[in-house]
Amino acid sequence: MKLDGVETFYGAVKALKGVSFTVPDGSIVALLGGNGAGKTTTLRSISGLTTARKGTIEFNGTRIEKSPPERVVGLGISLVPQGRLLFAELTVAENLELGAYLRHDSAEIKRDIEKAYEQFPILRQKRAQEAGTLSGGQQQMVAIARSLMSRPKLLMLDEPSLGLAPMIVAEIFETIRKIRDDGVSILLVEQNANMALSIANFGYVLESGKVVMSGNVAQLLSDPRVQQAYLGQEAGPAAPQAVRH
Amino acid sequence: MQDRRTFGKLSAAVAATMAFGRHASAADEIVIGYHGPMTGPASWVGLGGRDGALMALGEINAAGGVNGRMIRMISYDDAGKASEAEAVAKKMIESDKVFAILGGGISNVAIVVAEEAHRGKVPYMNGSGASPKIMDLKSRWTFSGATIDVRDIAENAAIFIGDYLKVKKVAVMNGADEFSQSLSDNVVRLIKDRYGIETLTRQRYNPGETDFSSQLLAVKQSNPEYILMFGLYVEAARAVRQSRELGIKTPIKGDTSMMNLGFLTVAGAAAEGMIAEYLPLYFNGDTAKDMVEFESRYKKLFPSYPVDRPNYVDVYNYGNMYAFAEGMKRAGKDLTRKGLVEALETLNNYQAADTWPKAVNLIQPLTFTESHNGNRRLSFFRVTNGAFKPIADFKVPVPSTKFPQNASLNW
Amino acid sequence: MELVPQLIVSGIAAGSLYALVAIGLVLIYKATDIVNFAQGESVTVGAYMGWLCITQFRLPYFVAVVLVLAGSALVGMIVERVAYRPLLKSPPFTVILATLAVGLIIKNAIRLVWQDTPRTISGVFSAEPIEIGSVLITPERLAIMFTVALVVALLVLFFRFSKLGKAMRATAQSQEAASLMGISVPGIFSKTWALGSALGGLAGVLIAPLVGINTELGAVLVPGFVAAVVGGFTSIPGAIVGGILVGVLENLGGVFISSSFKQVVPFVVLITVLMVLPTGLFGKPLRKAV
Ligand SMILES: Nc1ncnc2c1ncn2[C@@H]1O[C@H](COP(=O)(O)OP(=O)(O)OP(=O)(O)O)[C@@H](O)[C@H]1O
Ligand SMILES: [Mg+2]
C-alpha cells in the first residue's frame, strides 16, 4: 500500500499536509508521532472514513483515496479503530459475525470464528455476552478478531495498547506479530514507540501532519531524536541515523 | 378574482346558460353576483352553491326568464376568507353593478358580504351560512333562504327528541369543535327544560380520534334510552361502528353533519336504524320523484363530477335561485332592488314548483312574510337499507325563537 | 360486561396499533437519531393503498397487505431520500421539520387526488362481538392484535438472527464502526426508513376497515409518539408496553376523569415518566460505543 502526498482536512483545519509512505507486503510498519500528529487521520483517510482532498492512496494497484469505507474493506483493508468502536450492545459473537459482513461463505465464517476463539480463548467463554460488558483488554481482542473476520490483506491498528495493562499489551503485540506471520501486512499506530518498534520492520514518524522521519527499526531506535521524543531516553551514542525529511 | 379553474367542468353549464340566453341582449338581462369558497378545504361549499344556482338559472332562462328578461350569474371565489370576500363584494357591487347577490359562502364570509350589500343597498341571499350574526345585522337587504339559523337547529332537534322519540334518558356524545359543543349544549338544555329529559352522561371526542371505547363504555354504563351524537362525522361514524363492537344496542340519533355518504361509508352496517336531521327534503339517491329528477338533470349538466355531488349546498342554492327569481317576477316589469326585497317579503310557504313548472321541490317551503329567516325547519331521516330515508310521520312545528320582524329591519 | 376489564381489553386493542406506529418511530430514531414526523402519513398511505388494491384492483385483503407493506416501505425510502439524506449535515431539528413537511405534502397530495371524502375497505374478520369471560371483543380486533404480536415476534427474530437485522443494530450503535465492517450506512438508513414506514402502512391497512380512510388518519402519530417516548424511544419492547399503556390509560382516564381529558392522560403519564425516569421505561443510558 502506498500513500503519496495525502492532504486531509477537518473543515478548514489541515490535519494531513502531504503524507507519503509505503507499507510493504507482509511487513509491520509502525506509524509513530505525538498527540495530534495526524496518525488517526492517516488511518481514517486510508479506510475512507474521511476523504483525502489531495494525493493518492493505492492498494494492490487500485486507487482508493475516494472510496467509501465499505469498498475499502472489500478490497482487503481492515481498521481496528482508536477506541475500538465495538458494537457494545451486541454480543461478542455478533461482533465477530459483523466483521465478516461482506463475506458470503458461511461455513468458512464459522471456521474463522472458531479460529478467533482459539486465538483468544477468553472470547469463547464470553461469546454470548454484550461486548460492552467486557474488560478493556478483552474488548481490544474482540476488536482485532472482528477486523480479522473480513480476512484482510492489510490490518491497521490505531493505538491498540491504549489504556491496557502491560501484560495485556504484551499479549496483544504477540498476537499482532502472529497475524503478520500469517501473511497479513500491518500498519500499526502507536504512541508506545518502544513496543511498536519491538515488533515492526519499518517505522515512520509523523509530526503536525507530515512524515518527518522514516527508516527501518534499527535506524529509528538509534536515532537520538526518536529516542528523546518517543522512547523516553537521552540521546545515545552515534549510530546509523534515520533519514530526516 | 373570477374563478377560471373549473372552467372545463363548467363549460356545459355555461353553454347551457348561453344557449338559453341567446335572444336576450345585455340591456335586458339581470346580472346576479355569486360568491363562495371555490378553492381550499371548503371548496365543496362554494362549488356546490354555484352549480346548484346555475342549474336553476338554466331552467329559469329556458322557461323564458323573468318577465321576459334573462338572468346571468357571475361567480367569484372568496376562498372562505373574510378579507377576500370583502374585495369580491365590493367588486360585484361597484364595478359589476350586479342587481343582487347570492351567497354560497360559509358564515364568516357571509357576514362580510351582507354588510357590504347593506351599504350598497343590494339584495343579498345568504345561501348557506348558519351563524346568527348574519341576520343579527338586521339588514332589510339580507335574506336567509334554505339555510337555517343555529338556534332553530337546536330547537328542531329538541322538539324531535321530546315529541317524536319520546325518551326520558339520553346520553350525549359530541365533537370537541365549537359548533358541536354549543349545539349539544343547547339541545341538552332545551330537552331538559321543555321535556324533563335527563342527560345521563356527556362524552366528548376530538378530531382524528380512532378509538372511542372509553366514551362508548361510559355511555353504555349509564344505560340510556337513546344516544345523541353531535358533529365531526368521520369520528362519529367510527364511534357508531365501534358501538356495535361493544355490544351497545341503544339507538343513536346524529345531527346534520352526519348526513353524508362518507358517514355511511365509514359507519357501514352499524348505521342502520340511526336517525339524523337535514335541511333538504331528501338525501342523495332518494327514490322520491323530485330527487330522481334533480339528480338526473344535474348529472346531465355536470357529467364529470364526483359521486358526492350534488351536495346539499347544490340543493340549497337550486332552491334559493328559484326564490330569487320568483321575487323578481313578483316585483314586476319595473324591477328595482327595493322592489325585489318587498316582493321577496310576500313569499309565504313558497316552493319553487308552485310557480315554475319545470322546478323540483328540494328544500323546505320558504316564508319571508314575517322575518327574513325564510326557513325554520329541518327534516328528519332514518338510515334504512343503508340510505337516509325521510321520516314521513313527523313534521316539526315552527320553533319559538323570535327573529326580528320585517318592519324592524333597516334599509 | 364489567367496566374496568372491558376498558383494559379495549385499551389493549387500541394500544396495539399505537405500538405498531411507535415501533416504526423507534426503529428510525435508533438508526438515525431522527423522529420521523411523516410516520403518520405512512399510516394514511397504507390505508389508501389498501383501498386501491381492494376496491379498485379487486385484490384479496391478504395480497393487499403485502402490497401495502411494499408500497409504504417505498414511501419511507422516499422520505429518507428527500428529507433525511440531503440534510445529513443539518441540525436534527431541521431534519425533523423536513419530515414534517414531507408528511404534509403527502397528506395534501392525497387530498388533491381523493378529496376529503372518507373511504373504507371491508375487513376479513367479523365485527360482531364475542364474549370472553366478562368482556366483549370482535374477531376483527383479535386478528389485529394477533397480527401485531406476530409482526413484533418476526421483528425480534429479524433483529436477532438475520444479517440485515444485525447490521441495522450495529449501525444504530456506531455508524463508523458499521461502515468499517463493510456495511453501507446509507443503504441501512434507507432500509430502516423503509421498515419503519412499512410498519406504519401496516397499521393503516389494519385499522382501515374499522375506522375508514381519510387524510386525517395520520393523527394516530400522536399516541404513537407518546407510546414511543414512554417506552424510552430506543426499545421495541418499550414501544409495545408504551402503546398498550397509552391505550389503556386513555380508556381509564376517559371514563374515570373525563372524556375531555382522555387524550391528555397519556401526556400526563409521559411527563411523569420523563421526570422520574428521564430515559423512559425501557430506555438505556446513552452508551453507543465503548
Ligand atoms: N473531527 C475533527 N475535527 C477537527 N479537527 C480534528 C478532528 N480530528 C482530529 N482533528 C485534528 O487533526 C489533527 C490530527 O489529529 P489526529 O487525531 O489524526 O492525531 P493523532 O496523531 O491520532 O493524535 P492522538 O495520538 O492524540 O490520537 C489534530 O490537530 C486534531 O486536533
Ligand atoms: Mg489518534
Side-chain angles (χ1 to χ4, degrees), chain B residues 203-204 206 208-211 213-215 217 220-221 233-234 238 241-242 244-247 262 265-266 308, chain C residues 1 6-7 10 14 117-118 120 127 129 136 138 140-141 209-211 214 217 251 254-255 259-260 262-263:
Chain B
Q203 300 288 319
R204 294 214 300 180
N206 289 294
E209 251 183 271
T210 50
D211 189 89
S213 39
S214 83
Q215 291 98 326
L217 289 169
K220 188 178 185 184
Q221 190 78 357
Y233 77 91
V234 176
R238 294 170 179 169
R241 190 184 191 279
Q242 206 182 357
R244 300 312 184 233
E245 287 183 36
L246 295 169
T265 304
V266 175
D308 51 356
Chain C
M1 180 201 71
Q6 181 71 58
L7 282 170
S10 297
T117 317
T120 195
L136 292 174
T138 63
E140 193 173 59
R141 298 257 175 203
L210 284 72
V211 303
N214 70 351
L217 260 190
N251 271 3
V255 168
S259 60
S260 311
K262 177 181 160 189
Q263 289 172 308

Tab-separated table of all heavy atoms in Angstrom, chain B residues 203-204 206 208-211 213-215 217 220-221 233-234 238 241-242 244-247 262 265-266 308, chain C residues 1 6-7 10 14 117-118 120 127 129 136 138 140-141 209-211 214 217 251 254-255 259-260 262-263:
chain	number	residue	atom	x	y	z
B	203	GLN	N	-70.117	12.886	26.795
B	203	GLN	CA	-68.778	12.465	26.410
B	203	GLN	C	-68.350	13.291	25.202
B	203	GLN	O	-69.162	13.620	24.352
B	203	GLN	CB	-68.784	10.965	26.041
B	203	GLN	CG	-69.217	10.055	27.183
B	203	GLN	CD	-68.146	9.966	28.252
B	203	GLN	OE1	-66.956	9.870	27.957
B	203	GLN	NE2	-68.552	10.013	29.516
B	204	ARG	N	-67.035	13.582	25.165
B	204	ARG	CA	-66.536	14.352	24.016
B	204	ARG	C	-65.553	13.529	23.206
B	204	ARG	O	-64.915	12.635	23.718
B	204	ARG	CB	-65.823	15.616	24.515
B	204	ARG	CG	-66.762	16.586	25.190
B	204	ARG	CD	-66.337	17.985	24.937
B	204	ARG	NE	-64.986	18.252	25.457
B	204	ARG	CZ	-64.406	19.438	25.344
B	204	ARG	NH1	-65.025	20.426	24.732
B	204	ARG	NH2	-63.210	19.633	25.844
B	206	ASN	N	-62.489	14.010	19.914
B	206	ASN	CA	-61.670	15.003	19.223
B	206	ASN	C	-61.447	14.623	17.761
B	206	ASN	O	-61.523	13.451	17.411
B	206	ASN	CB	-60.309	15.124	19.903
B	206	ASN	CG	-60.417	15.793	21.240
B	206	ASN	OD1	-60.751	16.967	21.331
B	206	ASN	ND2	-60.187	15.034	22.290
B	208	GLY	N	-59.719	13.369	14.638
B	208	GLY	CA	-58.601	12.445	14.465
B	208	GLY	C	-58.616	11.258	15.400
B	208	GLY	O	-57.820	10.338	15.253
B	209	GLU	N	-59.521	11.249	16.382
B	209	GLU	CA	-59.561	10.103	17.281
B	209	GLU	C	-60.015	8.848	16.526
B	209	GLU	O	-60.895	8.926	15.671
B	209	GLU	CB	-60.548	10.374	18.434
B	209	GLU	CG	-59.852	10.592	19.773
B	209	GLU	CD	-60.838	10.793	20.915
B	209	GLU	OE1	-61.225	11.961	21.167
B	209	GLU	OE2	-61.211	9.793	21.526
B	210	THR	N	-59.408	7.724	16.851
B	210	THR	CA	-59.781	6.493	16.163
B	210	THR	C	-60.417	5.477	17.099
B	210	THR	O	-61.014	4.512	16.656
B	210	THR	CB	-58.567	5.823	15.507
B	210	THR	OG1	-57.531	5.722	16.489
B	210	THR	CG2	-58.071	6.634	14.321
B	211	ASP	N	-60.249	5.670	18.393
B	211	ASP	CA	-60.823	4.701	19.329
B	211	ASP	C	-61.735	5.421	20.311
B	211	ASP	O	-61.342	6.408	20.934
B	211	ASP	CB	-59.709	3.974	20.081
B	211	ASP	CG	-60.277	2.818	20.879
B	211	ASP	OD1	-60.370	1.717	20.316
B	211	ASP	OD2	-60.660	3.026	22.054
B	213	SER	N	-63.637	3.690	22.726
B	213	SER	CA	-64.145	2.726	23.705
B	213	SER	C	-64.434	3.383	25.049
B	213	SER	O	-65.407	3.029	25.702
B	213	SER	CB	-63.221	1.511	23.839
B	213	SER	OG	-61.886	1.868	23.779
B	214	SER	N	-63.613	4.351	25.468
B	214	SER	CA	-63.889	4.939	26.785
B	214	SER	C	-65.212	5.710	26.770
B	214	SER	O	-66.042	5.555	27.659
B	214	SER	CB	-62.729	5.832	27.249
B	214	SER	OG	-62.824	7.120	26.696
B	215	GLN	N	-65.424	6.519	25.691
B	215	GLN	CA	-66.671	7.277	25.618
B	215	GLN	C	-67.872	6.335	25.545
B	215	GLN	O	-68.884	6.506	26.230
B	215	GLN	CB	-66.680	8.188	24.380
B	215	GLN	CG	-65.695	9.344	24.455
B	215	GLN	CD	-64.406	9.043	23.725
B	215	GLN	OE1	-63.951	7.902	23.702
B	215	GLN	NE2	-63.782	10.058	23.155
B	217	LEU	N	-68.125	3.189	26.404
B	217	LEU	CA	-68.369	2.368	27.590
B	217	LEU	C	-68.977	3.201	28.713
B	217	LEU	O	-69.817	2.711	29.473
B	217	LEU	CB	-67.079	1.681	28.032
B	217	LEU	CG	-66.631	0.561	27.071
B	217	LEU	CD1	-65.228	0.090	27.381
B	217	LEU	CD2	-67.616	-0.603	27.118
B	220	LYS	N	-72.520	3.343	27.732
B	220	LYS	CA	-73.173	2.063	27.973
B	220	LYS	C	-73.479	1.891	29.463
B	220	LYS	O	-74.564	1.462	29.850
B	220	LYS	CB	-72.263	0.930	27.485
B	220	LYS	CG	-72.929	-0.428	27.518
B	220	LYS	CD	-71.999	-1.516	26.967
B	220	LYS	CE	-72.727	-2.854	26.884
B	220	LYS	NZ	-71.838	-3.940	26.441
B	221	GLN	N	-72.503	2.262	30.277
B	221	GLN	CA	-72.629	2.150	31.722
B	221	GLN	C	-73.817	2.964	32.243
B	221	GLN	O	-74.484	2.569	33.187
B	221	GLN	CB	-71.315	2.646	32.373
B	221	GLN	CG	-71.203	2.365	33.832
B	221	GLN	CD	-70.818	0.905	34.075
B	221	GLN	OE1	-70.703	0.116	33.153
B	221	GLN	NE2	-70.627	0.536	35.329
B	233	TYR	N	-68.249	14.189	11.589
B	233	TYR	CA	-68.930	12.994	11.108
B	233	TYR	C	-68.029	11.784	10.936
B	233	TYR	O	-68.470	10.652	11.129
B	233	TYR	CB	-69.694	13.308	9.815
B	233	TYR	CG	-68.849	13.406	8.574
B	233	TYR	CD1	-68.622	12.276	7.800
B	233	TYR	CD2	-68.307	14.610	8.149
B	233	TYR	CE1	-67.855	12.352	6.654
B	233	TYR	CE2	-67.543	14.689	7.010
B	233	TYR	CZ	-67.313	13.554	6.256
B	233	TYR	OH	-66.559	13.628	5.134
B	234	VAL	N	-66.753	11.990	10.581
B	234	VAL	CA	-65.875	10.823	10.408
B	234	VAL	C	-65.685	10.124	11.751
B	234	VAL	O	-65.821	8.901	11.871
B	234	VAL	CB	-64.511	11.222	9.805
B	234	VAL	CG1	-63.598	10.003	9.744
B	234	VAL	CG2	-64.690	11.805	8.417
B	238	ARG	N	-66.998	6.430	13.085
B	238	ARG	CA	-66.163	5.417	13.728
B	238	ARG	C	-66.786	4.984	15.056
B	238	ARG	O	-66.805	3.791	15.386
B	238	ARG	CB	-64.772	5.995	14.014
B	238	ARG	CG	-63.982	6.312	12.758
B	238	ARG	CD	-62.729	7.107	13.103
B	238	ARG	NE	-61.961	7.376	11.892
B	238	ARG	CZ	-60.932	8.217	11.825
B	238	ARG	NH1	-60.554	8.873	12.913
B	238	ARG	NH2	-60.297	8.385	10.701
B	241	ARG	N	-69.762	2.726	14.512
B	241	ARG	CA	-69.332	1.372	14.190
B	241	ARG	C	-68.836	0.662	15.449
B	241	ARG	O	-69.174	-0.488	15.713
B	241	ARG	CB	-68.218	1.425	13.145
B	241	ARG	CG	-67.890	0.044	12.572
B	241	ARG	CD	-66.720	0.126	11.603
B	241	ARG	NE	-66.540	-1.098	10.837
B	241	ARG	CZ	-65.916	-2.173	11.284
B	241	ARG	NH1	-65.431	-2.184	12.515
B	241	ARG	NH2	-65.768	-3.236	10.521
B	242	GLN	N	-68.047	1.381	16.235
B	242	GLN	CA	-67.476	0.739	17.424
B	242	GLN	C	-68.534	0.435	18.485
B	242	GLN	O	-68.362	-0.486	19.279
B	242	GLN	CB	-66.361	1.616	18.005
B	242	GLN	CG	-65.342	0.787	18.776
B	242	GLN	CD	-64.253	1.632	19.406
B	242	GLN	OE1	-64.208	2.850	19.243
B	242	GLN	NE2	-63.382	0.981	20.148
B	244	ARG	N	-71.296	-0.947	18.127
B	244	ARG	CA	-71.807	-2.311	17.926
B	244	ARG	C	-70.790	-3.328	18.415
B	244	ARG	O	-71.145	-4.372	18.934
B	244	ARG	CB	-72.132	-2.540	16.446
B	244	ARG	CG	-73.190	-1.576	15.877
B	244	ARG	CD	-74.443	-1.462	16.775
B	244	ARG	NE	-75.488	-0.614	16.188
B	244	ARG	CZ	-76.059	0.424	16.804
B	244	ARG	NH1	-75.662	0.791	18.017
B	244	ARG	NH2	-77.013	1.103	16.206
B	245	GLU	N	-69.495	-3.001	18.229
B	245	GLU	CA	-68.445	-3.902	18.728
B	245	GLU	C	-68.546	-4.094	20.225
B	245	GLU	O	-68.166	-5.130	20.756
B	245	GLU	CB	-67.053	-3.312	18.462
B	245	GLU	CG	-66.584	-3.343	17.042
B	245	GLU	CD	-65.171	-2.805	16.945
B	245	GLU	OE1	-64.360	-3.031	17.864
B	245	GLU	OE2	-64.869	-2.119	15.946
B	246	LEU	N	-68.972	-3.028	20.896
B	246	LEU	CA	-69.023	-3.089	22.350
B	246	LEU	C	-70.398	-3.540	22.840
B	246	LEU	O	-70.734	-3.368	24.010
B	246	LEU	CB	-68.647	-1.732	22.937
B	246	LEU	CG	-67.187	-1.341	22.646
B	246	LEU	CD1	-66.923	0.112	22.994
B	246	LEU	CD2	-66.228	-2.244	23.417
B	247	GLY	N	-71.176	-4.075	21.911
B	247	GLY	CA	-72.458	-4.643	22.291
B	247	GLY	C	-73.497	-3.602	22.671
B	247	GLY	O	-74.453	-3.901	23.375
B	262	GLY	N	-70.103	9.865	3.178
B	262	GLY	CA	-68.890	9.480	3.897
B	262	GLY	C	-69.213	8.857	5.243
B	262	GLY	O	-68.611	7.859	5.646
B	265	THR	N	-70.437	5.411	4.645
B	265	THR	CA	-69.324	4.567	4.209
B	265	THR	C	-68.558	4.022	5.406
B	265	THR	O	-68.280	2.833	5.500
B	265	THR	CB	-68.349	5.398	3.337
B	265	THR	OG1	-69.073	5.949	2.259
B	265	THR	CG2	-67.230	4.540	2.806
B	266	VAL	N	-68.191	4.923	6.322
B	266	VAL	CA	-67.338	4.522	7.442
B	266	VAL	C	-68.138	3.732	8.486
B	266	VAL	O	-67.671	2.720	9.002
B	266	VAL	CB	-66.671	5.754	8.086
B	266	VAL	CG1	-65.880	5.340	9.325
B	266	VAL	CG2	-65.762	6.441	7.079
B	308	ASP	N	-69.999	12.400	-4.745
B	308	ASP	CA	-70.655	13.100	-3.640
B	308	ASP	C	-71.317	14.409	-4.090
B	308	ASP	O	-71.755	15.206	-3.265
B	308	ASP	CB	-69.682	13.336	-2.478
B	308	ASP	CG	-68.398	13.977	-2.933
B	308	ASP	OD1	-68.235	14.158	-4.164
B	308	ASP	OD2	-67.562	14.288	-2.076
C	1	MET	N	-71.227	-7.295	31.076
C	1	MET	CA	-69.975	-6.564	30.884
C	1	MET	C	-69.539	-5.929	32.191
C	1	MET	O	-70.315	-5.315	32.903
C	1	MET	CB	-70.181	-5.457	29.856
C	1	MET	CG	-68.922	-4.651	29.595
C	1	MET	SD	-69.254	-3.019	28.888
C	1	MET	CE	-69.973	-2.140	30.260
C	6	GLN	N	-63.298	-4.486	30.666
C	6	GLN	CA	-63.601	-4.136	29.284
C	6	GLN	C	-62.770	-2.933	28.835
C	6	GLN	O	-62.254	-2.905	27.722
C	6	GLN	CB	-65.098	-3.819	29.141
C	6	GLN	CG	-65.530	-3.465	27.726
C	6	GLN	CD	-65.510	-4.659	26.788
C	6	GLN	OE1	-66.167	-5.653	27.025
C	6	GLN	NE2	-64.730	-4.565	25.724
C	7	LEU	N	-62.629	-1.944	29.713
C	7	LEU	CA	-61.820	-0.772	29.374
C	7	LEU	C	-60.380	-1.186	29.096
C	7	LEU	O	-59.732	-0.675	28.179
C	7	LEU	CB	-61.846	0.244	30.524
C	7	LEU	CG	-63.096	1.105	30.647
C	7	LEU	CD1	-63.080	1.880	31.957
C	7	LEU	CD2	-63.196	2.061	29.467
C	10	SER	N	-60.238	-3.252	25.710
C	10	SER	CA	-60.390	-2.337	24.573
C	10	SER	C	-59.172	-1.431	24.444
C	10	SER	O	-58.771	-1.067	23.339
C	10	SER	CB	-61.649	-1.485	24.727
C	10	SER	OG	-62.799	-2.290	24.731
C	14	ALA	N	-56.684	-1.003	21.201
C	14	ALA	CA	-56.324	0.270	20.572
C	14	ALA	C	-54.817	0.479	20.668
C	14	ALA	O	-54.166	0.932	19.725
C	14	ALA	CB	-57.065	1.421	21.244
C	117	THR	N	-63.439	13.092	1.099
C	117	THR	CA	-64.457	12.049	1.230
C	117	THR	C	-63.849	10.779	1.811
C	117	THR	O	-62.921	10.229	1.239
C	117	THR	CB	-65.031	11.699	-0.162
C	117	THR	OG1	-65.243	12.912	-0.854
C	117	THR	CG2	-66.309	10.917	-0.030
C	118	PRO	N	-64.355	10.326	2.952
C	118	PRO	CA	-63.757	9.118	3.513
C	118	PRO	C	-64.116	7.872	2.697
C	118	PRO	O	-65.162	7.821	2.057
C	118	PRO	CB	-64.353	9.041	4.921
C	118	PRO	CG	-65.567	9.878	4.887
C	118	PRO	CD	-65.403	10.888	3.794
C	120	THR	N	-63.652	3.356	2.651
C	120	THR	CA	-63.474	2.248	3.576
C	120	THR	C	-63.136	0.989	2.805
C	120	THR	O	-63.274	0.938	1.584
C	120	THR	CB	-64.723	2.048	4.453
C	120	THR	OG1	-64.376	1.214	5.553
C	120	THR	CG2	-65.856	1.394	3.664
C	127	ALA	N	-67.050	-8.290	12.618
C	127	ALA	CA	-67.095	-7.174	13.556
C	127	ALA	C	-68.154	-7.406	14.624
C	127	ALA	O	-68.486	-6.508	15.393
C	127	ALA	CB	-67.368	-5.875	12.812
C	129	PRO	N	-69.280	-8.779	18.083
C	129	PRO	CA	-68.525	-9.097	19.294
C	129	PRO	C	-68.773	-10.520	19.787
C	129	PRO	O	-69.866	-11.063	19.627
C	129	PRO	CB	-69.047	-8.072	20.299
C	129	PRO	CG	-70.379	-7.666	19.783
C	129	PRO	CD	-70.314	-7.759	18.300
C	136	LEU	N	-66.270	-8.091	25.998
C	136	LEU	CA	-66.624	-8.281	24.600
C	136	LEU	C	-65.435	-7.898	23.734
C	136	LEU	O	-64.742	-6.916	23.997
C	136	LEU	CB	-67.808	-7.384	24.235
C	136	LEU	CG	-69.152	-7.715	24.866
C	136	LEU	CD1	-70.164	-6.636	24.505
C	136	LEU	CD2	-69.621	-9.079	24.418
C	138	THR	N	-64.242	-8.220	19.299
C	138	THR	CA	-64.624	-8.737	17.979
C	138	THR	C	-63.463	-9.549	17.402
C	138	THR	O	-62.295	-9.242	17.675
C	138	THR	CB	-64.958	-7.586	17.016
C	138	THR	OG1	-63.777	-6.805	16.827
C	138	THR	CG2	-66.066	-6.721	17.562
C	140	GLU	N	-62.362	-9.308	14.607
C	140	GLU	CA	-61.578	-8.332	13.864
C	140	GLU	C	-60.462	-7.727	14.724
C	140	GLU	O	-59.304	-7.626	14.314
C	140	GLU	CB	-62.564	-7.252	13.459
C	140	GLU	CG	-62.148	-6.270	12.469
C	140	GLU	CD	-63.357	-5.397	12.110
C	140	GLU	OE1	-63.932	-4.750	13.022
C	140	GLU	OE2	-63.727	-5.372	10.948
C	141	ARG	N	-60.835	-7.309	15.953
C	141	ARG	CA	-59.824	-6.719	16.847
C	141	ARG	C	-58.809	-7.772	17.263
C	141	ARG	O	-57.610	-7.496	17.369
C	141	ARG	CB	-60.475	-6.149	18.107
C	141	ARG	CG	-61.449	-5.030	17.845
C	141	ARG	CD	-60.846	-3.670	18.177
C	141	ARG	NE	-61.793	-2.634	17.794
C	141	ARG	CZ	-61.462	-1.380	17.525
C	141	ARG	NH1	-60.215	-0.969	17.612
C	141	ARG	NH2	-62.372	-0.500	17.176
C	209	PRO	N	-60.464	-0.938	7.898
C	209	PRO	CA	-61.838	-1.445	7.914
C	209	PRO	C	-62.626	-0.970	9.142
C	209	PRO	O	-63.844	-0.902	9.109
C	209	PRO	CB	-61.666	-2.969	7.964
C	209	PRO	CG	-60.281	-3.222	7.496
C	209	PRO	CD	-59.478	-2.023	7.901
C	210	LEU	N	-61.919	-0.632	10.219
C	210	LEU	CA	-62.601	-0.263	11.457
C	210	LEU	C	-62.925	1.222	11.524
C	210	LEU	O	-63.927	1.606	12.119
C	210	LEU	CB	-61.744	-0.629	12.673
C	210	LEU	CG	-61.704	-2.101	13.068
C	210	LEU	CD1	-60.906	-2.907	12.073
C	210	LEU	CD2	-61.137	-2.251	14.452
C	211	VAL	N	-62.066	2.056	10.970
C	211	VAL	CA	-62.253	3.497	11.175
C	211	VAL	C	-62.353	4.276	9.874
C	211	VAL	O	-62.428	5.494	9.878
C	211	VAL	CB	-61.114	4.102	12.032
C	211	VAL	CG1	-61.035	3.390	13.371
C	211	VAL	CG2	-59.789	4.041	11.311
C	214	ASN	N	-59.339	8.396	5.638
C	214	ASN	CA	-59.315	9.765	5.140
C	214	ASN	C	-57.924	10.330	5.396
C	214	ASN	O	-57.060	9.644	5.955
C	214	ASN	CB	-60.424	10.629	5.765
C	214	ASN	CG	-60.194	10.922	7.230
C	214	ASN	OD1	-59.302	10.373	7.866
C	214	ASN	ND2	-61.002	11.802	7.781
C	217	LEU	N	-56.022	10.267	8.977
C	217	LEU	CA	-55.651	9.051	9.712
C	217	LEU	C	-54.296	9.197	10.403
C	217	LEU	O	-54.031	8.575	11.428
C	217	LEU	CB	-55.572	7.869	8.746
C	217	LEU	CG	-56.745	6.922	8.675
C	217	LEU	CD1	-56.372	5.708	7.850
C	217	LEU	CD2	-57.171	6.489	10.067
C	251	ASN	N	-58.356	5.025	28.057
C	251	ASN	CA	-59.667	4.498	28.411
C	251	ASN	C	-60.015	4.747	29.879
C	251	ASN	O	-61.117	5.188	30.196
C	251	ASN	CB	-59.716	3.002	28.121
C	251	ASN	CG	-60.169	2.738	26.706
C	251	ASN	OD1	-60.385	3.685	25.947
C	251	ASN	ND2	-60.314	1.491	26.358
C	254	GLY	N	-60.376	8.456	30.364
C	254	GLY	CA	-61.579	8.950	29.707
C	254	GLY	C	-62.823	8.687	30.528
C	254	GLY	O	-63.730	9.507	30.588
C	255	VAL	N	-62.861	7.541	31.202
C	255	VAL	CA	-64.050	7.198	31.967
C	255	VAL	C	-63.999	7.763	33.388
C	255	VAL	O	-64.953	8.338	33.868
C	255	VAL	CB	-64.264	5.665	31.994
C	255	VAL	CG1	-65.318	5.283	33.022
C	255	VAL	CG2	-64.663	5.185	30.611
C	259	SER	N	-63.958	12.513	29.579
C	259	SER	CA	-63.593	12.268	28.183
C	259	SER	C	-62.827	13.454	27.611
C	259	SER	O	-62.076	13.311	26.667
C	259	SER	CB	-64.847	11.986	27.357
C	259	SER	OG	-65.732	13.083	27.405
C	260	SER	N	-63.019	14.645	28.216
C	260	SER	CA	-62.268	15.810	27.734
C	260	SER	C	-60.782	15.630	27.988
C	260	SER	O	-59.950	16.238	27.329
C	260	SER	CB	-62.730	17.077	28.450
C	260	SER	OG	-64.122	17.157	28.420
C	262	LYS	N	-59.324	12.617	28.026
C	262	LYS	CA	-58.906	11.307	27.542
C	262	LYS	C	-57.520	11.337	26.897
C	262	LYS	O	-56.641	10.565	27.239
C	262	LYS	CB	-59.945	10.798	26.547
C	262	LYS	CG	-59.581	9.479	25.923
C	262	LYS	CD	-60.635	9.054	24.927
C	262	LYS	CE	-60.040	8.023	23.977
C	262	LYS	NZ	-60.911	7.707	22.870
C	263	GLN	N	-57.337	12.281	25.959
C	263	GLN	CA	-56.067	12.303	25.254
C	263	GLN	C	-54.976	13.031	26.020
C	263	GLN	O	-53.821	13.017	25.638
C	263	GLN	CB	-56.251	12.937	23.877
C	263	GLN	CG	-57.042	12.021	22.967
C	263	GLN	CD	-57.402	12.702	21.678
C	263	GLN	OE1	-57.961	13.797	21.673
C	263	GLN	NE2	-57.080	12.080	20.557
